[in-house]
């Protein structure tokens, strides 16, 4: 978080930096997972520290408002990786998939955590929440809530999904109000022994 703070305080947030960060994020390779997590943390910091002026640029650069945009596809693949795994995204299940299981990358916990944190900060602003609603993110996040497990890592991601869902339900209450949304929250609260 120190780099984005330095960039913003010193006025070094030059035109094109956000697009370059997203370009790095789009690079493939297991050896880049830590770098990708750092890029997501940097984008999160920029949203958090710079507020709305750069938010639309981040939404555009990540394709957050489009179902087939880079960010929504990354989130769906992360959710598939998390929910179809035993420990770290490598084993399959009968969960519905967006991409073939072999095409879905394994998401290490630091990368998945950075991604959910980015989503939370993006959803905290109206235009970010609207982008997440327009790309169908609510349905994907509900899959995390449906995830039947009681391991600490699983509970952590269910909690993170609820934190992202909370601000966007005001914008898309119809999708959340259908039987899947509220029933899934009630069911998971019962499984976990209390509120999420």
């Amino acid at each position: 978080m120190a780099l984005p703070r330095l960039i913003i305080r010193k006025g070094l947030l030059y035109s094109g930096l956000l697009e370059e960060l997203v370009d790095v994020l789009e690079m493939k390779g297991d050896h880049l997972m830590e770098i990708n997590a750092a890029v997501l943390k940097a984008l999160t910091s920029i949203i958090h520290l710079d507020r709305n002026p750069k938010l639309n640029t981040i939404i555009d650069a990540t394709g957050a408002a489009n179902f087939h945009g880079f960010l929504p596809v990354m989130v769906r693949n992360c959710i598939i990786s998390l929910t179809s795994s035993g420990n770290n995204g490598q084993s399959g299940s009968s969960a519905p998939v967006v991409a073939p299981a072999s095409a879905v990358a394994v998401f290490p916990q630091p990368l998945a955590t950075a991604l959910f944190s980015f989503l939370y900060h993006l959803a905290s602003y109206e235009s970010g929440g609207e982008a997440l609603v327009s790309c169908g993110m609510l349905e994907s996040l509900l899959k995390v809530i449906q995830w039947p497990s009681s391991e600490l890592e699983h509970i952590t991601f269910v909690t993170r999904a609820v934190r992202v869902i909370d601000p966007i339900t005001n914008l898309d209450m119809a999708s959340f109000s259908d039987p899947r949304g509220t029933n899934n929250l009630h069911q998971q609260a019962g499984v976990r022994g209390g509120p999420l």
Side-chain angles (χ1 to χ4, degrees):
M1 293 253 266
L3 178 62
R5 287 182 183 158
L6 176 66
I7 289 171
I8 292 167
R9 285 194 182 131
K10 298 288 184 182
L12 300 175
L13 192 58
Y14 61 89
S15 176
L17 176 64
L18 298 174
E19 290 83 0
E20 289 176 8
L21 288 172
V22 173
D23 287 345
V24 170
L25 192 58
E26 291 175 347
M27 296 172 72
K28 304 290 184 212
D30 291 341
H31 63 288
L32 297 172
M33 294 297 178
E34 289 182 31
I35 293 171
N36 288 343
V39 167
L40 283 167
K41 289 176 185 177
L43 289 170
T44 301
S45 295
I46 292 169
I47 290 172
H48 180 70
L49 295 173
D50 205 26
R51 309 281 187 245
N52 283 325
K54 302 295 180 195
L55 189 58
N56 288 331
T57 304
I58 291 172
I59 290 168
D60 291 342
T62 60
N66 303 314
F67 183 82
H68 295 290
F70 173 74
L71 179 68
V73 169
M74 181 182 194
V75 171
R76 287 192 299 273
N77 287 336
C78 176
I79 290 170
I80 291 167
S81 176
L82 289 172
T83 60
S84 67
S85 69
N87 289 329
N88 56 5
Q90 296 176 352
S91 64
S93 78
S94 61
V97 294
V98 175
S102 60
V104 177
V106 175
F107 280 79
Q109 187 171 359
L111 179 58
T113 300
L115 182 58
F116 275 71
S117 179
F118 175 74
L119 289 175
Y120 171 73
H121 285 278
L122 189 62
S124 298
Y125 296 96
E126 187 173 350
S127 59
E130 288 172 355
L132 295 178
V133 167
S134 69
C135 74
M137 192 60 62
L138 190 57
E139 185 176 336
S140 296
L141 291 168
L142 287 173
K143 290 177 184 173
V144 177
I145 294 172
Q146 293 171 340
W147 187 14
S149 181
S150 60
E151 294 179 31
L152 183 58
E153 178 183 325
H154 299 125
I155 294 170
T156 299
F157 284 109
V158 169
T159 302
R160 288 178 181 278
V162 169
R163 288 182 64 209
V164 176
I165 289 170
D166 183 42
I168 64 176
T169 52
N170 293 328
L171 300 171
D172 189 21
M173 196 59 182
S175 293
F176 186 73
S177 295
D178 78 7
R180 292 174 301 161
T182 52
N183 286 346
N184 287 332
L185 278 178
H186 289 241
Q187 181 182 18
Q188 288 302 324
V191 167
R192 300 191 194 318
L196 296 174

